[in-house]
Amino acid sequence: MSVLLAPLDMRPVYIGAGIALIINSFFVVLQVLGYDPIAQAVPPAGIFMNKGAGAEITAMVMVGCSGSFLVVRAAPFLLGAVPLFAPPISRAPLVALGLVCLLTFWRHYRFLGLIAAILLVGLLVGLVLMPGRAVHGGLRIGLWTSAVFELSWFGHGLGGFFHRFPWFEYAHNDLLQVLFELGVPGALLFVAFFGYCLWRGPLVERAVLVVFLVEGLFGFPLYTPATAFVAALAAGSIIRARCELRGCDSAGKRVCDASAQSLSGSASCDRALHFGR
């Protein structure tokens, strides 16, 4: 439903989510300072139950805000990035942000892209070698191995992963969990849908989906309401924008007909051309 209701212009969504994340960061700071009025599973999570969930949506919204506004205008929303760096550090959102920066720089400035690639590798090594994280990573690998050995062609049904591994609840890998529960047909549809969205369309929304998918390799943003909602809106916005692109030719010239010269039609064509394919 969120995909169908997605707006062409996602900036109001990013603004609203950015304001909410600033409020969340305020509570994170209070919790770091010792004031913890909200019960949480993995603190400091602010108004979220799990710090990882707060960091995941933060990374997605920060990419949306930074890509949709000038840096000066987006700066206030960067205050919402506190959950990304409050200990314990959530690794997947930082890796996702690093990958988006790498792709952005590589698209425009190859030298800066090379530097970003080196820094991303250093970030990965540093996060892997963080004290106490090796044990946590070993548990994930053990879970993934067990789940892989129990895969079937048509899956175990929705909720099957929790039934089989109740102490983990989620696979901490969205694609693996979709494959486990819905089998090969469900996994192919999952990959096909996001592949279609990433193929071309507004660059900012595609970057948001890249963050979502990278986080899904190590977490469960597909099963977290906030991240899944923003990802669905971004995907829907991409699909709508690509429909509007039919009014613009491959050379990037405006060929919108008279019926598309309304404010929304003109804005959507401009936006599609601005962000490229």
Side-chain angles (χ1 to χ4, degrees), residues 41-259:
V42 183
I47 58 178
F48 290 89
M49 178 58 67
N50 187 308
K51 181 189 180 298
E56 288 170 354
I57 184 61
T58 296
M60 293 173 63
V61 174
M62 290 304 101
V63 168
C65 289
S66 300
S68 297
F69 306 100
L70 295 174
V71 174
V72 175
R73 294 180 181 178
F77 299 107
L78 298 181
L79 293 173
V82 171
L84 286 172
F85 306 102
I89 295 178
S90 300
R91 294 173 289 181
L94 291 178
V95 172
L97 286 175
L99 180 60
V100 168
C101 291
L102 168 60
L103 295 175
T104 302
F105 285 133
W106 189 262
R107 178 184 176 90
H108 300 288
Y109 311 101
R110 294 299 171 89
F111 177 72
L112 292 179
L114 180 61
I115 295 177
I118 296 173
L119 293 176
L120 179 59
V121 171
L123 174 64
L124 287 171
V125 173
L127 292 175
V128 169
L129 297 179
M130 286 178 62
R133 306 303 289 182
V135 174
H136 189 69
L139 291 175
R140 296 276 181 91
I141 294 174
L143 172 64
W144 295 340
T145 303
S146 300
V148 166
F149 279 114
E150 297 191 26
L151 293 176
S152 64
W153 281 102
F154 296 101
H156 300 272
L158 290 172
F161 193 91
F162 173 73
H163 183 267
R164 177 63 185 84
F165 303 99
W167 52 92
F168 281 101
E169 187 174 1
Y170 300 106
H172 294 272
N173 184 305
D174 283 342
L175 181 58
L176 177 59
Q177 184 155 348
V178 169
L179 184 59
F180 187 91
E181 295 184 346
L182 301 179
V184 175
L188 289 177
L189 289 174
F190 179 85
V191 172
F193 174 76
F194 284 104
Y196 177 80
C197 292
L198 294 175
W199 178 33
R200 65 179 185 177
L203 191 57
V204 174
E205 278 63 65
R206 284 191 286 165
V208 171
L209 287 186
V210 167
V211 173
F212 174 77
L213 293 173
V214 172
E215 292 172 342
L217 295 176
F218 309 98
F220 43 92
L222 183 64
Y223 300 91
T224 304
T227 47
F229 179 67
V230 172
L233 290 179
S237 182
I238 289 172
I239 294 172
R240 291 193 63 183
R242 286 174 60 178
C243 291
E244 294 293 330
L245 272 175
R246 295 174 183 175
C248 305
D249 67 6
S250 59
K253 297 178 181 179
R254 293 287 299 280
V255 292
C256 298
D257 57 21
S259 63

